[in-house]
Amino acid sequence: MDFYETLNRLLVKHINETKQNPTNLELIQENLLQPLLELWKNSKEMSQEIGFDEIVTNAIDAHKMLFPIKENNKNVAADLKYYLDDFKKNLERLREKYKPLHSFIGNLS
């Protein structure tokens, strides 16, 4: 299996398993650092090309980047809910305003 595919799977698994508690050091050690060390040890070409501290630093940086993205997604979701609620209110007002016209057109046929 390709080193980078395995690395990607480890990161995705770690992110999914630590969503509720992303700063839990025990989970970080168990789900990310230990598997990364094993992966690095087992990949001779990678252990010669990349230092383990570089892998850990990059993994931590990638993990940190997810926090602002998640927060932005929460804000966008809240905004969309607000706009949807506002749209529904306006649609209901329009329906009420145009009931007489709708009835008039219905009576023409």
Side-chain angles (χ1 to χ4, degrees), residues 65-83:
M65 287 173 42
L66 289 176
F67 289 117
I69 293 170
K70 285 190 219 178
E71 287 306 310
N72 286 338
N73 285 346
K74 287 179 188 176
N75 293 337
V76 168
D79 288 345
L80 288 175
K81 183 176 178 349
Y82 170 79
Y83 293 133

Side-chain angles (χ1 to χ4, degrees), residues 7-57:
L7 179 60
N8 184 54
R9 285 190 190 132
L10 283 173
L11 290 171
V12 168
K13 179 183 179 213
H14 170 69
I15 290 164
N16 287 333
E17 289 183 5
T18 59
K19 283 180 183 176
Q20 300 302 320
N21 194 359
T23 58
N24 183 324
L25 295 178
E26 192 174 304
L27 285 176
I28 292 170
Q29 169 70 26
E30 181 182 317
N31 293 332
L32 189 60
L33 295 180
Q34 194 61 39
L36 278 175
L37 180 58
E38 290 303 315
L39 176 63
W40 181 76
K41 283 181 188 175
N42 293 334
S43 178
K44 290 178 183 165
E45 63 275 357
M46 279 302 174
S47 61
Q48 292 171 356
E49 287 181 33
I50 301 172
F52 184 69
D53 58 333
E54 184 180 350
I55 292 174
V56 171
T57 301

